Amino acid sequence: MKIIFLTLIMTLFGFGNTKAQSVKKFKEPLNTAVFTTKFVIEENKPITYVTHDSDDGAWQFFSDDEFEDFESIAKIVGLGEIIQMDKSILELADMPKGYYAYRESVNSIWVIQKQEK
């Protein structure tokens, strides 16, 4: 009897039910051009750093790879392609312009901070 009651309470409050939890969505269309790198697109490296630029609202998605010349490794893809590669990006959909997010690995939580001017 206790198990049935506990299950009923959990169901009512959405515990353990991912459909009960709301999924964030980007306000930008899925075909919005975003910046990333060859490391993310061609080498399937995990996205660990995301920026939402304050000046033009552009989104940028990076891995941990270091580089000196962004133009030599830059790729432009659709936002939907990035989301398909890593659904956890949806957690950042409401990140305001002028902020960035980072994480240690794909299993880590995103840390969001305001960009320095």
Side-chain angles (χ1 to χ4, degrees):
M1 187 68 164
K2 289 180 184 179
I3 293 174
I4 294 172
F5 180 72
L6 183 59
T7 304
L8 178 61
I9 295 298
M10 289 176 69
T11 302
L12 286 173
F13 290 100
F15 295 108
N17 184 356
T18 56
K19 289 184 181 179
Q21 299 169 355
S22 63
V23 176
K24 294 180 184 179
K25 293 182 180 180
F26 283 84
K27 66 178 181 177
E28 297 87 354
L30 295 179
N31 65 352
T32 299
V34 298
F35 298 96
T36 189
T37 67
K38 70 176 186 176
F39 306 115
V40 171
I41 299 301
E42 296 172 6
E43 299 176 22
N44 294 318
K45 298 280 185 88
I47 297 168
T48 55
Y49 186 79
V50 177
T51 68
H52 193 190
D53 296 343
S54 60
D55 54 351
D56 60 4
W59 288 91
Q60 300 187 56
F61 300 89
F62 300 98
S63 61
D64 284 339
D65 296 282
E66 293 184 21
F67 52 86
E68 290 185 26
D69 179 24
F70 181 65
E71 290 182 13
S72 68
I73 54 99
K75 296 288 181 186
I76 299 175
V77 298
L79 177 60
E81 186 174 347
I82 291 290
I83 294 169
Q84 269 188 325
M85 293 179 70
D86 183 349
K87 299 261 189 272
S88 74
I89 295 302
L90 290 169
E91 296 173 31
L92 305 175
D94 58 357
M95 186 169 69
K97 292 178 184 178
Y99 282 75
Y100 68 95
Y102 65 93
R103 61 184 175 179
E104 299 256 341
S105 71
V106 292
N107 297 321
S108 303
I109 61 168
W110 287 105
V111 176
I112 300 172
Q113 295 185 336
K114 187 170 179 127
Q115 295 172 350
E116 299 286 325
K117 290 197 177 204

